[in-house]
Amino acid sequence: EDKVVQSPLSLVVHEGDTVTLNCSYEVTNFRSLLWYKQEKKAPTFLFMLTSSGIEKKSGRLSSILDKKELFSILNITATQTGDSAIYLCAVVHTGNQFYFGTGTSLTVIP
Amino acid sequence: NAGVTQTPKFQVLKTGQSMTLQCAQDMNHEYMSWYRQDPGMGLRLIHYSVGAGITDQGEVPNGYNVSRSTTEDFPLRLLSAAPSQTSVYFCASRDTGTSYGYTFGSGTRLTVV
């Protein structure tokens, strides 16, 4: 059965800390992995990863994929209170089905 | 460019009532989906459509119906609401054939009492 597992489920850090969020998957016919950030409402797209070892970066956020070990990490450096959100990982099957993880809830305390 | 528009934003139903959650997109996306999000469960696919006139079941379809008469609209119908359907519902759309990602609506918080 295809599945996506995110860890930790929740995390509380202080402003300025660096955090690493994990996403492991067991999905046959992998096509890509996506990260989303969900604040109060709808998830918004962060990154799409298709190739191993190539880091995607946007400001203080970065992400990398390891297709051999079947996982991805999302790093956030120098966290701010505005980073508080649920971070969702989704793996896309070659049939274009999306499999979402349960998400990691990040709280950044001033 | 409105993106994906969902209505209503909030709804309270009594057990046994029926209702329709509306979803419309103006991006000419072929692929549309309905998800529900529950604490600790992530986003679970209810139904999806790969184009007008074509719908299929997702992971948790029981108790829900959909139709896709136009590319733009993809309503979700609750046939006889149950407390287990209390959830946040998201409609999402994307281009078929790309895995770039969904555009999500703002969600509907549904409570069934």
Side-chain angles (χ1 to χ4, degrees), chain A residues 24-96:
Chain A
S24 63
Y25 61 92
E26 294 176 22
V27 175
T28 55
N29 301 313
F30 172 93
R31 180 171 183 172
S32 61
L33 185 146
L34 292 87
W35 283 97
Y36 289 86
K37 178 182 181 182
Q38 184 178 21
E39 295 176 87
K40 291 197 188 324
K41 292 189 175 178
T44 54
F45 173 81
L46 291 175
F47 298 113
M48 181 179 72
L49 303 155
T50 55
S51 301
S52 275
I54 298 176
E55 186 182 52
K56 292 285 184 85
K57 206 167 165 61
S58 175
R60 296 175 294 102
L61 278 66
S62 63
S63 184
I64 198 160
L65 174 68
D66 186 327
K67 289 169 74 172
K68 183 179 175 187
E69 300 297 330
L70 307 183
F71 77 92
S72 173
I73 59 172
L74 175 68
N75 276 325
I76 308 175
T77 59
T79 51
Q80 303 171 358
T81 55
D83 295 326
S84 295
I86 296 173
Y87 290 84
L88 295 166
C89 170
V91 174
V92 187
H93 184 273
T94 52
N96 282 324

Side-chain angles (χ1 to χ4, degrees), chain B residues 39-62:
Chain B
M41 303 289 286
L43 285 163
R44 293 185 292 169
L45 182 65
I46 304 171
H47 284 285
Y48 67 97
S49 168
V50 299
I54 306 168
T55 63
D56 206 346
Q57 296 181 348
E59 182 185 355
V60 288
N62 292 338

